[in-house]
Amino acid sequence: MPGPGAESDRPRAPELSGVDLARQALVAAKEQARARGAAVQQKKQARRGGLRSGARADGRDPLPLGAAINRLITERGWETPAAVGGVMGRWPQLVGPEVAQHCEPQKYDEDARVLTVQCDSTAWATQLRLLAPQLVARLNQDLGQGTVKLIKVLGPGGPARRYGPLRAPGSTGPGDTYG
């Protein structure tokens, strides 16, 4: 425990005179004024809709709708799904009106890069299976190489399953022979 003379060993802060106190008060007042001014400026900007754009273009300028959608697609990484969706809309132009009348794209698996197409008859399903390599090449030419690796062709759906008291247990009905 320090003795009575230990306090005198410690250096004391000099007593501030009136001029020094006035300087400190002036510095504190300036800092408070700057803070109030910044808060008032932020309120004004919020009231009028945020910062305004100057003479040069920047990220806050309004965009045409198409450019805004393209920017959103790029930022979210939706390029491939959007391109494939465009293919679904342009299907008749890509495959021709006759094929498009009988074969319709159903879904696209982005992970496996497989496009599934449903045909209305087994003859058209066979025809599309024969055309699949050329169609994959055409789609990759439009969408970018490797976007579609395989076209899965589905034939027509079988007849509706009927359930009732005259069914044998485990039987799937007329679909048994279609495999």
Side-chain angles (χ1 to χ4, degrees), residues 67-110:
I69 290 174
N70 288 339
R71 184 169 159 185
L72 178 69
I73 287 172
T74 303
E75 287 174 356
R76 302 285 171 113
W78 295 338
E79 290 93 354
T80 302
V84 172
V87 164
M88 303 253 185
R90 295 181 300 135
W91 184 253
Q93 290 86 15
L94 292 171
V95 298
E98 190 176 4
V99 175
Q101 186 178 0
H102 298 283
C103 304
E104 181 182 346
Q106 296 294 311
K107 66 179 180 176
Y108 174 73
D109 183 6
E110 190 175 350

Side-chain angles (χ1 to χ4, degrees), residues 15-39:
E15 295 274 332
L16 296 177
S17 65
V19 174
D20 293 329
L21 286 172
R23 283 187 186 137
Q24 278 186 344
L26 180 63
V27 168
K30 284 183 179 180
E31 287 176 8
Q32 289 174 355
R34 264 190 230 110
R36 277 195 309 270

